[in-house]
Amino acid sequence: MKNLGQMMKQAQQMQAKMQEMQARLGEVEMSGQSGAGMVNVTVNGKGEMKKIKLDKSIVDPEDIEVLEDLIIAAFNDAKAKVEQHVANETQNLMGGMKLPPGMKLPF
């Protein structure tokens, strides 16, 4: 039973580290862009959009659809960077221990 106690202690330590990491994610910011840098979106580690910057030349009242598509593309670019950052942080936290295929941690 000593191994079970040790496993429980390790699980509690891992849970505390995960909570710390999740708190830090609110402070992490990643930027994504589209349209050759004319649209920039900044997202925090929790996936919340924090900033958007548009080059004036991209704003055409006659062609709003292009701008909408560029905003979506820039957001998706930033989100992908955040997801990669979270995956790297999680892997570091777990000390290289891998999760079973298909299992994801809640974020």
Side-chain angles (χ1 to χ4, degrees):
M1 280 294 143
K2 189 174 185 180
N3 287 339
L4 182 61
Q6 183 68 18
M7 284 176 50
M8 292 298 291
K9 184 176 179 179
Q10 288 176 340
Q12 289 173 340
Q13 290 172 343
M14 182 67 70
Q15 184 178 15
K17 289 179 181 179
M18 291 294 290
Q19 288 174 340
E20 289 174 24
M21 185 182 81
Q22 287 178 340
R24 287 192 317 263
L25 286 176
E27 299 169 8
V28 171
E29 290 188 350
M30 301 283 172
S31 294
Q33 57 179 274
S34 65
M38 293 193 293
V39 176
N40 288 287
V41 171
T42 302
V43 176
N44 72 10
K46 294 182 178 184
E48 302 164 334
M49 188 183 306
K50 299 309 254 178
K51 298 178 206 165
I52 187 165
K53 183 154 179 63
L54 306 174
D55 186 287
K56 290 180 182 182
S57 66
I58 197 71
V59 181
D60 180 359
E62 300 299 318
D63 195 5
I64 295 298
E65 291 83 14
V66 169
L67 180 57
E68 292 169 342
D69 290 343
L70 289 171
I71 291 170
I72 290 169
F75 177 81
N76 288 337
D77 183 39
K79 185 175 177 229
K81 290 176 182 176
V82 165
E83 289 171 353
Q84 184 61 52
H85 176 78
V86 170
N88 291 342
E89 287 292 310
T90 302
Q91 188 171 5
N92 289 340
L93 179 74
M94 297 182 74
M97 197 170 61
K98 295 191 179 194
L99 294 174
M103 183 175 177
K104 291 186 176 184
L105 294 174
F107 289 104

